Structure formats: structure tokens, C-alpha cells
Amino acid sequence: MSGWVRLLSSLRLAIILLFLIILLSIIGTIIPQGEALSFYQEHFPATSRLIAFLGLDHLYRSPVFLSLVFLFLLNLLLCSFHQFLGKISRLRSWTKLSGDSSEEENEIKIKLKPSEDHQTRAEAIIIALKKKKYHLKTRTENERKIILARKGYPGLFGPEIVHLGLIIIIIGGLLSALFTYRTSLALLEGESITVPEKNFSLQLNKFLTEYYPDGSVKSWKSLISVIEDHQPSAKAAVEVNRPFKYKGLNIYQISYGQDWDRTAVELEIKTEDMPMRKIILAAGQTTKINSDLRIRVSNFVPDFQVDSSGQIISRSAEANNPAALVEIQSDNQTIFSGWVFYFYPDFTRFQRKTRPGVTVFLKSFTAPVFSVLEISSDPGSNLVWAGSIFMMLGLIGSFYFKYRELRIIIDSSGRVSLRPYARQNRLGLINEIKKLEEDLNLSKFQPGS
Amino acid sequence: MEETTYLLLAFLTYIVVMLSGFFSFFSQRKIFIRAYHLLSFLGLGFHSFSLIIRTFNSGHAPFTNMYESINFLAWACVLAVIIFERIFKLEKIGPYLWLLIVALMALISSPALPKNVTPLVPALQSYWLWLHVSVTLLGEAFLALAFVSSLFYLSASSRHKADPQNEKKKQKYDLIAYQAVAVGFPLFTLGALIFGMIWANKAWGRYWGWDPKEVWSLITWLFYAVYLHTRLVLGWSGKKSALIAIIGFLAALFTFFGVNYLLRGLHSYA
Ligand code: HEM
């Protein structure tokens, strides 16, 4: 191998890359991601230029991070390939000790008792190994009998399977990053919208919020129809955690809300010379109550608040403090103008009441509900699932199948030498050999030559 | 009886287990060892009952908030310790692991963690909640075991240097740490990363979004990958290995606690 390839496939490089990836990942959880430049200038004044230069505001898609991941992928590919070839040649070889010189040191030489004939000895060894579930191959060459005993193959290739799984996952991730289609639609009940770049549209038939007895939300559910060529082609209920699959796209329940700009309010109005009247009208709309009075709801907010500059705002999109701005005119003269509150009927803000005895109550309000659906397809995800399966199989192989290999060479003078190899847990193998010796009642073994 | 009664019984039993473990260091009397082994099963039984009752009462998995998660983690640690005690004989490490369990039990008894059963928000209503959290926490229990064993390694290697008895102990601590990682790492991979990705894909429409909790799980996982490779391929063991196992577990702890309180993200309910 040339120097470059050796460096690129080395584990030392892998460790360095892993540490760098860890370091950058940590930085990415400390610096909030995806904010505007001004945010960093405000919160990280000293380093905001560095953040912008290195792309730390979108760190996980930055060239620095992606090149590290790419280098890691290359490293993993080369390293695993190299390992794999080594293991294949190990499986093919009869006598070869691997290039690993430590293996030679592991060689164990056993002396037979002089009285024993080596054919019987070999048979005894074979029977003992079979009992230990070893797969055996035997061969005689140059008067030497070679017994090749192995077991636990998944343990030999476990790491390569883990690495393969990881490679597939990373490739899947890259595909996802490049080719994911994702869009979201906010649909009012009854509305239908064409999905961008697709030849069908989604219609929201009904949006449901289900509650637990204690009032907390149990589920959000959109009943939708898919409309293709002006024909409904599918119906589905989309819920949180229960996406709907359609033509390779997944449709998710992401969010919901109420369109407060289109609130319809119900008001109760009384004046000195008019008994109580109930009217319903939409925000922004004006109606005539009688020949004299005209009423207008010029604004509605669900969560009334006055901000520091005196502006009326809605603190949230929830109906925590609903209020309507109501104006009543008589002969083009405003006789009432003010905010009326749903929860505080006796309190009216910014009143201009030129005619006494006018009262206005906000009795109820309804805003159309919209549901936000996300439509996405991700060509990388199946690779990620496939890679995950490989990874788990490989992990089980690596940790729970112990690959063990024994090469037993009996030469014509009756000397037996044992060459053991274990991918990991060498200690366990040595113990197994000791046991074997005891079972076979062999004379004491001597490690080394 | 009630969930809390069984939980209290478990807590008390664990304390007795821990104490008999410590007493057995000083006393040759068999009764302490006996109590240590038998009562650990009894405690696990009480604890399991308590979790089952809570599950029936709430109608959902017993790990949907901080209190429940730590409670389940404690249970998983008990399971891991019992298994390792049987297979490897933890000796000195055992009682200290029980100390950790007792500490976790004390933590969940504290009033700072709200214990009431709350209905599941829609995002958590999925059987992936069961798979994702239980497997992850079980994995973390084994990583906790590796953590304690590694601490023992470090403390043994800072004391009386070239004593063969001590060397043997150190080897054992090192081996137990590795064996615990060999169980914890695959479980963590499956529970935290793979099941996490599957669930995220179901709930949020993407399997990976670089959310701080996701990133910290990945960081934890990468530390343990470094641990495995430096051992197996570079032949590291002992001190350096122990340090990596310790840092790895600290990263796991940060993923569990720190991310919720210090960083912002989607996982804020867990
Ligand atoms: C996060 C990424 C990685 C994971 C999760 C991973 C996982 C594993 C696992 C589980 C094992 C078996 C460990 C054991 O039996 O104790 C292993 C072994 C190994 N890994 Fe990795 N690996 C990763 C990255 C890498 C990289 C980048 C390289 C090389 C540059 C590499 C090289 C090796 C080697 C040489 C072995 C030993 C193989 C053998 O024993 O035959 N790994 N890996």
C-alpha cells in the first residue's frame, strides 16, 4: 500500500477524525443554529465573524463539517475493505499465519507422550473439537497432518458488517440532505391546495382536536382527501405520530391554528332607546342595526396585550384574552368606540362613548381552524434503515459470537503445534485450549517455542 | 397496595442490600453475603410491581417525564447489576453500584420532581416511546456499570503500585468495564439512535434533524466507538480506556439531564 492509502485507512486517522467530529458537534449544540447574522452579532460579538466565516451558524451543513464526514467515510471504507481482504485470505489459507507477528508468539507446542501414535491422537483431538462445535477441515501434506478448526464466523466479520451498515447510513444521510422534498401546507377546513411540484392537491375536510377528561390535548387529527384530476382519489385521517403515505410521499400532522383575521364575533348591543340585540359579524365588516345605527368590528385579537410602545398586540395565537374593537356610529358620528373583552365584560378599554347608556358585550367568537400538514419524501431514508439493520447484526456478531480458530499441525515425529487465533477475547481462547488439554490429558503445554 | 408503597419498599430493600454489601467487606459472616444476593431480587420485584401499577394507572409507558425516566433508569441499573453480579462477580464494585442506585432512588423521592401522572401529549403517543426509551435507558444502565468499574480502575491504579493482588483487581475492573460496554453499546445504538431515528421519522417527518438531544446521543455513541477501537485495534487498556469510558458516560448523563435544562430543542418534554 502506498503511504497515502495507508494513512487514509489507518485507525489513528479515524480516532483523530472522531474527536474532531465530536468537537464540532459540541460546538453546534452550544451555538444556536440557523439564526440570522444579527443574532450572532448580538450574542457572540467577539466571534460572530469567525462563526460566519466557518459557517458555524449552519454547522452540520458547513463545508468544514461535511469534509470531515467525507474523510471519515473514505477512511472507514478503505479500512474496512483492507480488513475484509485480510480476513478472506485468513479463511482461505491452511498454514499461513497472518501478517500479525503476535500470532507467532501465540503458538503453543504440545509434546505427545512417546507411547502414543499420532493418528489416534489426531482423532482424539478432532472428536474433542467437534464437541466444542468447531468446524473442521483436515489435510495431510509433507507427512504433516493439519487440522483447521474454526467457529463463530459472525464474530469474525461482525466489525465489517457494522462498518458496512455505517457506510450505508452515511450515504443515505447524504442522499437525504441532497434530495429531500419537503413542503408544508396550511389548510382551512374545506379548503384545498395543490401540493407544489406535484400533480395533486390536498383538501382538509375537518380538523379535530380531541381532549382528555382533564382538558389536556389527546390528539390533533386532520381528515383529508387527496384530489387528483378533480376527483377525490384517497381519504385519510392524519394524526401526530400517524403519517399518511401517498405515492411515495409522507403526509404529517405538524401544527394547527386559528385564522383570527377571519374571526366571526357575536355581540350583544343595547342603547337607551333600543332593547338588547344580538348580532353576528366578521372582523372588518360593517352592518346596519337599524336605520340609525351602524356597527363595525374593526379588529379582533385572541390574546390582548398592550406592548411597551402602547400598541395593541396579541401575545399568542391562543384565545387567552380575546377582545374585539367595536365602533358604533349614528349619523356618521361615532357614539361608541372601544375594546370589549370576552372575559371582562364590565371593562371596556379606550372608550369613547358620546351617548350614555350604550353597552356592548362580546358573547362569543369563532375563527376558522387551519391545520398545517407537512408533505415530504426522502430518498435516503430506506438506506438508513437498511444500514441500521446491518449495523445491529454486525454488533451482535462482534460482541456475541466469538470467532476462534485453531490450526493444529501434527508432524511425522508426533509433535503437535497449535496456532490459536481469536479476533478478540484471546484470554477466552487460551482458557478453552487449557480445558482441551485437560480433556485430552495432554502433557503440559508450553507457550512460545 | 399502591405504587408508592412498593416503591418505598424497593427503596428500603436497596438500602439494606447496599449496607449488607458494605458490611460483607469487614465481616466474614455469611449472612451479609446472603442478604446481599437474595434481597436484590426482592427489591427488583417490588420495584417492578411499582412500575407495573403506575403503567396500569396511567395507561402509558412509565417514562414520560424526568421523574419516571430516572425511576426507570434506577430499575434498569438494578437489573444490570444483578445480571453482572451473577456472571462476573462484582466484588468490591457491587455495593458502590448499589450506592448509585440508592442515590437515584433518593433523587426520585425528592419533591423537586413532579410525580403526578399526566396524560400523554400527542407527540408521545406511540409504541416507539416504549421501544426507544426503554432500550436506551437499559443500555445506559450498563454504561453506568462500565463507568463505576472504570472509576474503580483509576482509584486502584492510584494506590499501592506494584502489588500483584492489586494488579489482578485492576485487570478485573478493566474487563468488567469492557464487558459492560459490550452490552451497553449495542443497546444504546439500537434504542437511542436507531429507534430514535425511526420514531423521529414517524413523528416529525425526518429521521435526523441535528436537534441538541440527537447530537448529544451521537457524541456519546462516538465516545464509546473510540473506546472500543482504541482497545481492540490500538491495544489500549487500563487508564486511558477507563478515562474514555468515564467521559463517555458523562456525555450520556449530559444527554439525559443537561440537554433538557441547558440547551433548547424539540425533546423538551422528555
Ligand atoms: C463510529 C464509527 C464506528 C463504529 C460504530 C465502529 C464499530 C466497530 C465495532 C463494533 C467493532 C468491533 C469491536 C469489538 O469487537 O470489540 C469494530 C472493529 C473495528 N473497527 Fe470500527 N467502527 C467505526 C469506525 C471505524 C473506522 C473509521 C475504522 C478505520 C479507520 C474502524 C476500524 C475498525 C477495525 C480495524 C476494527 C477491528 C476489526 C477486527 O477486529 O477484525 N472502525 N468497529
Side-chain angles (χ1 to χ4, degrees):
Chain A
M1 276 201 295
S2 80
W4 271 105
V5 179
R6 182 164 307 175
L7 176 69
L8 269 179
S9 64
S10 76
L11 192 82
R12 274 162 217 284
L13 177 66
I15 302 292
I16 294 170
L17 289 175
L18 282 173
F19 274 123
L20 286 175
I21 290 173
I22 287 174
L23 185 73
L24 275 183
S25 301
I26 293 176
I27 292 175
T29 63
I30 295 170
I31 300 177
Q33 297 290 295
E35 302 284 347
L37 186 63
S38 56
F39 174 89
Y40 300 101
Q41 281 164 348
E42 186 181 333
H43 290 86
F44 303 90
T47 48
S48 69
R49 297 184 73 183
L50 186 70
I51 289 174
F53 178 71
L54 292 177
L56 302 185
D57 56 327
H58 54 277
L59 190 144
Y60 306 107
R61 280 174 290 123
S62 68
V64 181
F65 191 76
L66 286 180
S67 23
L68 277 180
V69 172
F70 187 75
L71 208 56
F72 181 76
L73 181 64
L74 198 65
N75 179 219
L76 185 59
L77 259 169
L78 289 172
C79 164
S80 307
F81 192 61
H82 178 201
Q83 289 279 324
F84 182 69
L85 291 185
K87 287 176 183 180
I88 292 291
S89 86
R90 160 178 292 286
L91 283 183
R92 285 220 179 126
S93 121
W94 274 88
T95 51
K96 183 194 153 230
L97 302 170
S98 73
D100 186 355
S101 63
S102 68
E103 221 168 308
E104 217 132 353
E105 290 161 18
N106 276 337
E107 184 161 325
I108 296 167
K109 294 212 155 72
I110 300 171
K111 286 202 195 78
L112 288 181
K113 289 174 189 144
S115 61
E116 274 178 317
D117 111 61
H118 79 261
Q119 188 57 35
T120 9
R121 178 49 68 201
E123 274 161 20
I125 292 175
I126 288 175
I127 290 171
L129 288 173
K130 275 198 172 146
K131 256 196 201 144
K132 300 238 175 232
K133 304 242 162 72
Y134 278 91
H135 297 252
L136 297 175
K137 281 205 247 172
T138 55
R139 164 162 154 181
T140 311
E141 64 176 26
N142 310 332
E143 308 263 304
R144 296 193 306 175
K145 182 155 188 129
I146 303 172
I147 304 169
L148 188 49
R150 302 176 172 126
K151 66 177 175 185
Y153 295 102
L156 178 62
F157 289 107
E160 279 65 44
I161 300 172
V162 177
H163 295 157
L164 177 68
L166 194 58
I167 289 166
I168 296 175
I169 290 174
I170 295 176
I171 292 174
L174 291 175
L175 284 183
S176 294
L178 289 173
F179 301 117
T180 291
Y181 168 87
R182 189 186 301 278
T183 186
S184 60
L185 297 180
L187 289 159
L188 289 164
E189 281 182 339
E191 191 180 17
S192 86
I193 299 181
T194 305
V195 180
E197 301 165 45
K198 307 281 165 187
N199 59 356
F200 63 89
S201 51
L202 294 182
Q203 176 175 318
L204 179 66
N205 302 322
K206 189 135 193 68
F207 179 77
L208 302 167
T209 305
E210 289 168 359
Y211 296 91
Y212 289 108
D214 78 342
S216 54
V217 173
K218 182 171 174 220
S219 77
W220 291 294
K221 196 188 272 185
S222 292
L223 306 180
I224 59 165
S225 301
V226 181
I227 296 177
E228 211 168 329
D229 297 330
H230 308 287
Q231 295 290 322
S233 64
K235 276 195 169 200
V238 182
E239 267 182 89
V240 181
N241 269 319
R242 286 183 186 78
F244 169 60
K245 263 197 166 57
Y246 184 78
K247 290 200 169 166
L249 292 164
N250 283 308
I251 301 169
Y252 299 88
Q253 179 69 50
I254 285 294
S255 176
Y256 75 102
Q258 278 168 291
D259 188 355
W260 297 111
D261 292 341
R262 295 210 237 162
T263 311
V265 297
E266 183 190 13
L267 300 174
E268 264 180 19
I269 299 167
K270 212 167 73 173
T271 60
E272 271 194 326
D273 36 48
M274 183 184 78
M276 166 127 74
R277 294 262 321 249
K278 265 191 190 172
I279 56 163
I280 295 177
L281 78 172
Q285 202 189 344
T286 312
T287 37
K288 270 194 162 161
I289 309 181
N290 53 31
S291 55
D292 178 31
L293 296 180
R294 274 154 40 105
I295 180 158
R296 177 181 163 76
V297 173
S298 41
N299 200 354
F300 177 89
V301 291
D303 193 358
F304 182 95
Q305 202 190 21
V306 183
D307 75 4
S308 52
S309 60
Q311 295 267 24
I312 307 286
I313 57 164
S314 189
R315 184 167 37 184
S316 71
E318 303 294 321
N320 293 327
N321 185 17
L325 179 58
V326 178
E327 264 176 67
I328 303 175
Q329 290 188 328
S330 167
D331 295 332
N332 291 332
Q333 210 189 355
T334 302
I335 58 164
F336 176 97
S337 165
W339 286 94
V340 290
F341 296 86
Y342 180 69
F343 291 124
Y344 310 100
D346 298 329
F347 176 75
T348 315
R349 196 186 153 86
F350 296 155
Q351 291 224 33
R352 172 135 46 96
K353 203 154 66 162
T354 52
R355 194 180 292 177
V358 179
T359 54
V360 182
F361 295 114
L362 175 56
K363 291 311 282 184
S364 72
F365 55 93
T366 49
V369 177
F370 64 87
S371 169
V372 185
L373 300 174
E374 184 169 281
I375 299 107
S376 68
S377 69
D378 182 344
S381 61
N382 284 334
L383 281 182
V384 172
W385 310 137
S388 300
I389 293 173
F390 277 110
M391 197 151 78
M392 281 322 293
L393 291 178
L395 283 174
I396 293 168
S398 297
F399 293 120
Y400 299 103
F401 289 80
K402 309 269 181 248
Y403 178 71
R404 282 173 185 178
E405 186 178 284
L406 286 172
R407 286 194 168 77
I408 299 164
I409 302 166
I410 306 173
D411 68 17
S412 54
S413 63
R415 265 207 302 266
V416 180
S417 57
L418 252 180
R419 294 171 183 178
Y421 169 81
R423 191 183 65 77
Q424 30 124 284
N425 192 9
R426 312 238 148 98
L427 212 64
L429 180 58
I430 302 288
N431 287 337
E432 193 167 273
I433 294 170
K434 275 190 191 157
K435 267 255 216 48
L436 194 70
E437 274 180 275
E438 280 165 20
D439 292 353
L440 290 170
N441 197 13
L442 292 169
S443 50
K444 284 234 151 43
F445 86 112
Q446 305 146 333
S449 43
Chain B
M1 274 197 278
E2 274 190 48
E3 169 206 341
T4 44
T5 320
Y6 279 113
L7 194 66
L8 186 65
L9 284 174
F11 190 11
L12 296 175
T13 316
Y14 293 158
I15 292 177
V16 177
V17 172
M18 175 189 75
L19 291 177
S20 27
F22 281 122
F23 284 142
S24 72
F25 292 171
F26 309 110
S27 159
Q28 296 304 315
R29 290 170 59 190
K30 277 246 162 65
I31 175 139
F32 291 123
I33 306 225
R34 271 275 178 79
Y36 178 77
H37 286 287
L38 288 179
L39 290 181
S40 60
F41 285 98
L42 186 69
L44 183 68
F46 285 142
H47 204 164
S48 310
F49 255 129
S50 154
L51 291 178
I52 291 170
I53 293 172
R54 188 176 179 94
T55 305
F56 269 102
N57 287 347
S58 68
H60 58 69
F63 26 73
T64 59
N65 57 31
M66 208 26 114
Y67 162 77
E68 290 180 329
S69 300
I70 299 175
N71 193 353
F72 190 82
L73 180 65
W75 180 86
C77 284
V78 173
L79 193 67
V81 171
I82 289 179
I83 291 173
F84 263 58
E85 188 71 76
R86 297 229 104 186
I87 302 179
F88 297 103
K89 300 266 171 305
L90 297 171
E91 294 166 18
K92 277 249 149 74
I93 307 180
Y96 286 93
L97 281 164
W98 285 100
L99 180 63
L100 181 79
I101 290 163
V102 167
L104 285 176
M105 297 298 285
L107 188 61
I108 57 173
S109 312
S110 99
L113 294 174
K115 297 172 186 47
N116 51 323
V117 170
T118 48
L120 276 190
V121 298
L124 290 180
Q125 292 167 19
S126 167
Y127 53 84
W128 288 105
L129 169 70
W130 279 94
L131 290 167
H132 173 53
V133 185
S134 65
V135 178
T136 304
L137 290 178
L138 200 59
E140 286 183 354
F142 283 95
L143 299 179
L145 220 155
F147 168 73
V148 173
S149 196
S150 299
L151 286 178
F152 265 79
Y153 185 94
L154 288 190
S155 98
S157 56
S158 66
R159 266 182 285 131
H160 26 252
K161 288 265 143 69
D163 164 12
Q165 194 73 23
N166 199 41
E167 276 310 308
K168 234 181 147 178
K169 268 192 208 155
K170 277 167 56 180
Q171 249 180 28
K172 179 154 187 182
Y173 298 152
D174 187 59
L175 185 72
I176 288 176
Y178 171 72
Q179 297 288 3
V181 172
V183 181
F185 184 74
L187 285 174
F188 187 80
T189 308
L190 184 67
L193 299 180
I194 298 180
F195 288 166
M197 286 195 294
I198 298 176
W199 189 13
N201 195 49
K202 272 233 144 109
W204 300 322
R206 87 285 182 293
Y207 57 83
W208 193 264
W210 298 104
D211 172 76
K213 195 126 184 155
E214 293 169 356
V215 177
W216 272 96
S217 304
L218 181 67
I219 291 168
T220 305
W221 189 72
L222 292 176
F223 268 117
Y224 285 102
V226 170
Y227 174 87
L228 291 172
H229 289 81
T230 48
R231 270 184 92 87
L232 185 70
V233 189
L234 300 186
W236 291 15
S237 64
K239 246 186 187 166
K240 288 192 268 185
S241 263
L243 268 176
I244 301 176
I246 288 169
I247 298 175
F249 188 68
L250 293 181
L253 279 185
F254 188 77
T255 312
F256 193 45
F257 296 106
V259 172
N260 289 359
Y261 297 118
L262 300 176
L263 305 172
R264 53 185 191 167
L266 287 168
H267 272 84
S268 50
Y269 41 72

CSV table of all heavy atoms in Angstrom, one decimal, chain A residues 148-168:
chain,number,residue,atom,x,y,z
A,148,LEU,N,-7.7,-27.9,10.7
A,148,LEU,CA,-8.1,-26.5,10.8
A,148,LEU,C,-9.4,-26.4,11.4
A,148,LEU,O,-10.4,-27.0,10.9
A,148,LEU,CB,-8.1,-26.0,9.3
A,148,LEU,CG,-8.3,-24.5,9.1
A,148,LEU,CD1,-7.4,-23.7,9.9
A,148,LEU,CD2,-8.1,-24.2,7.6
A,149,ALA,N,-9.5,-25.8,12.6
A,149,ALA,CA,-10.8,-25.8,13.3
A,149,ALA,C,-11.2,-24.4,13.6
A,149,ALA,O,-10.4,-23.5,14.0
A,149,ALA,CB,-10.6,-26.5,14.7
A,150,ARG,N,-12.5,-24.1,13.2
A,150,ARG,CA,-12.9,-22.7,13.4
A,150,ARG,C,-14.4,-22.7,13.9
A,150,ARG,O,-15.1,-23.6,13.6
A,150,ARG,CB,-13.0,-22.0,12.1
A,150,ARG,CG,-11.7,-21.9,11.3
A,150,ARG,CD,-12.1,-21.2,10.0
A,150,ARG,NE,-10.9,-20.9,9.3
A,150,ARG,CZ,-10.7,-21.3,8.0
A,150,ARG,NH1,-11.6,-22.0,7.4
A,150,ARG,NH2,-9.6,-21.0,7.4
A,151,LYS,N,-14.7,-21.6,14.6
A,151,LYS,CA,-16.1,-21.4,14.9
A,151,LYS,C,-16.4,-20.0,15.1
A,151,LYS,O,-15.5,-19.2,15.3
A,151,LYS,CB,-16.5,-22.2,16.1
A,151,LYS,CG,-15.9,-21.8,17.4
A,151,LYS,CD,-16.5,-22.6,18.5
A,151,LYS,CE,-15.7,-22.3,19.8
A,151,LYS,NZ,-16.2,-23.2,20.9
A,152,GLY,N,-17.7,-19.6,15.0
A,152,GLY,CA,-18.1,-18.2,15.3
A,152,GLY,C,-17.8,-17.3,14.2
A,152,GLY,O,-17.4,-16.2,14.4
A,153,TYR,N,-18.1,-17.7,12.9
A,153,TYR,CA,-17.8,-16.8,11.8
A,153,TYR,C,-18.5,-15.4,11.9
A,153,TYR,O,-17.9,-14.4,11.5
A,153,TYR,CB,-18.3,-17.4,10.5
A,153,TYR,CG,-17.5,-18.7,10.1
A,153,TYR,CD1,-18.0,-19.9,10.4
A,153,TYR,CD2,-16.2,-18.6,9.6
A,153,TYR,CE1,-17.3,-21.1,10.1
A,153,TYR,CE2,-15.5,-19.7,9.4
A,153,TYR,CZ,-16.0,-21.0,9.6
A,153,TYR,OH,-15.3,-22.1,9.3
A,154,PRO,N,-19.7,-15.3,12.4
A,154,PRO,CA,-20.3,-13.9,12.5
A,154,PRO,C,-19.4,-13.0,13.4
A,154,PRO,O,-19.4,-11.8,13.2
A,154,PRO,CB,-21.6,-14.1,13.2
A,154,PRO,CG,-22.0,-15.6,12.9
A,154,PRO,CD,-20.7,-16.3,12.9
A,155,GLY,N,-18.7,-13.6,14.3
A,155,GLY,CA,-17.8,-12.8,15.1
A,155,GLY,C,-16.6,-12.3,14.4
A,155,GLY,O,-16.0,-11.3,14.7
A,156,LEU,N,-16.2,-13.1,13.3
A,156,LEU,CA,-15.0,-12.6,12.5
A,156,LEU,C,-15.4,-11.4,11.7
A,156,LEU,O,-14.7,-10.4,11.6
A,156,LEU,CB,-14.6,-13.8,11.6
A,156,LEU,CG,-13.4,-13.5,10.7
A,156,LEU,CD1,-12.2,-13.1,11.5
A,156,LEU,CD2,-13.1,-14.6,9.7
A,157,PHE,N,-16.6,-11.5,11.0
A,157,PHE,CA,-17.0,-10.4,10.1
A,157,PHE,C,-17.9,-9.4,10.7
A,157,PHE,O,-18.2,-8.4,10.1
A,157,PHE,CB,-17.6,-11.0,8.9
A,157,PHE,CG,-16.7,-11.8,8.0
A,157,PHE,CD1,-16.7,-13.1,7.9
A,157,PHE,CD2,-15.7,-11.1,7.3
A,157,PHE,CE1,-15.8,-13.8,7.1
A,157,PHE,CE2,-14.8,-11.7,6.5
A,157,PHE,CZ,-14.8,-13.1,6.4
A,158,GLY,N,-18.2,-9.6,12.0
A,158,GLY,CA,-19.0,-8.6,12.7
A,158,GLY,C,-18.6,-7.1,12.5
A,158,GLY,O,-19.4,-6.3,12.0
A,159,PRO,N,-17.3,-6.8,12.7
A,159,PRO,CA,-17.0,-5.4,12.6
A,159,PRO,C,-17.2,-4.9,11.1
A,159,PRO,O,-17.6,-3.7,10.9
A,159,PRO,CB,-15.5,-5.4,12.9
A,159,PRO,CG,-15.3,-6.6,13.8
A,159,PRO,CD,-16.3,-7.6,13.3
A,160,GLU,N,-16.9,-5.7,10.2
A,160,GLU,CA,-17.1,-5.3,8.8
A,160,GLU,C,-18.5,-5.0,8.5
A,160,GLU,O,-18.9,-4.1,7.7
A,160,GLU,CB,-16.5,-6.3,7.8
A,160,GLU,CG,-15.0,-6.2,7.6
A,160,GLU,CD,-14.2,-6.6,8.9
A,160,GLU,OE1,-14.6,-7.6,9.5
A,160,GLU,OE2,-13.3,-5.8,9.2
A,161,ILE,N,-19.4,-5.9,9.1
A,161,ILE,CA,-20.8,-5.7,8.9
A,161,ILE,C,-21.3,-4.4,9.5
A,161,ILE,O,-22.1,-3.6,9.0
A,161,ILE,CB,-21.6,-6.9,9.4
A,161,ILE,CG1,-21.2,-8.1,8.6
A,161,ILE,CG2,-23.1,-6.7,9.1
A,161,ILE,CD1,-21.7,-9.4,9.1
A,162,VAL,N,-20.8,-4.1,10.7
A,162,VAL,CA,-21.1,-2.8,11.4
A,162,VAL,C,-20.6,-1.7,10.5
A,162,VAL,O,-21.4,-0.7,10.3
A,162,VAL,CB,-20.4,-2.7,12.8
A,162,VAL,CG1,-20.7,-1.3,13.4
A,162,VAL,CG2,-20.8,-3.8,13.7
A,163,HIS,N,-19.4,-1.8,10.1
A,163,HIS,CA,-18.9,-0.7,9.3
A,163,HIS,C,-19.7,-0.5,8.0
A,163,HIS,O,-19.9,0.6,7.5
A,163,HIS,CB,-17.4,-0.9,8.9
A,163,HIS,CG,-16.5,-0.9,10.1
A,163,HIS,ND1,-15.3,-1.6,10.2
A,163,HIS,CD2,-16.7,-0.4,11.4
A,163,HIS,CE1,-14.8,-1.4,11.4
A,163,HIS,NE2,-15.6,-0.7,12.1
A,164,LEU,N,-20.0,-1.6,7.3
A,164,LEU,CA,-20.8,-1.5,6.1
A,164,LEU,C,-22.1,-0.8,6.4
A,164,LEU,O,-22.6,0.1,5.7
A,164,LEU,CB,-21.1,-2.9,5.6
A,164,LEU,CG,-22.0,-3.0,4.3
A,164,LEU,CD1,-21.2,-2.4,3.2
A,164,LEU,CD2,-22.4,-4.4,4.0
A,165,GLY,N,-22.8,-1.2,7.5
A,165,GLY,CA,-24.0,-0.6,7.9
A,165,GLY,C,-23.8,0.9,8.1
A,165,GLY,O,-24.6,1.7,7.6
A,166,LEU,N,-22.8,1.3,8.7
A,166,LEU,CA,-22.5,2.7,8.9
A,166,LEU,C,-22.2,3.5,7.6
A,166,LEU,O,-22.7,4.6,7.4
A,166,LEU,CB,-21.3,2.8,9.8
A,166,LEU,CG,-21.0,4.2,10.5
A,166,LEU,CD1,-22.2,4.6,11.3
A,166,LEU,CD2,-19.8,4.1,11.3
A,167,ILE,N,-21.5,2.8,6.7
A,167,ILE,CA,-21.3,3.4,5.4
A,167,ILE,C,-22.6,3.7,4.7
A,167,ILE,O,-22.8,4.7,4.1
A,167,ILE,CB,-20.3,2.5,4.6
A,167,ILE,CG1,-18.9,2.5,5.1
A,167,ILE,CG2,-20.3,2.9,3.1
A,167,ILE,CD1,-18.0,1.4,4.6
A,168,ILE,N,-23.5,2.6,4.7
A,168,ILE,CA,-24.8,2.8,4.1
A,168,ILE,C,-25.6,3.9,4.7
A,168,ILE,O,-26.2,4.7,4.0
A,168,ILE,CB,-25.6,1.5,4.2
A,168,ILE,CG1,-24.8,0.4,3.4
A,168,ILE,CG2,-27.0,1.6,3.6
A,168,ILE,CD1,-25.4,-1.0,3.5
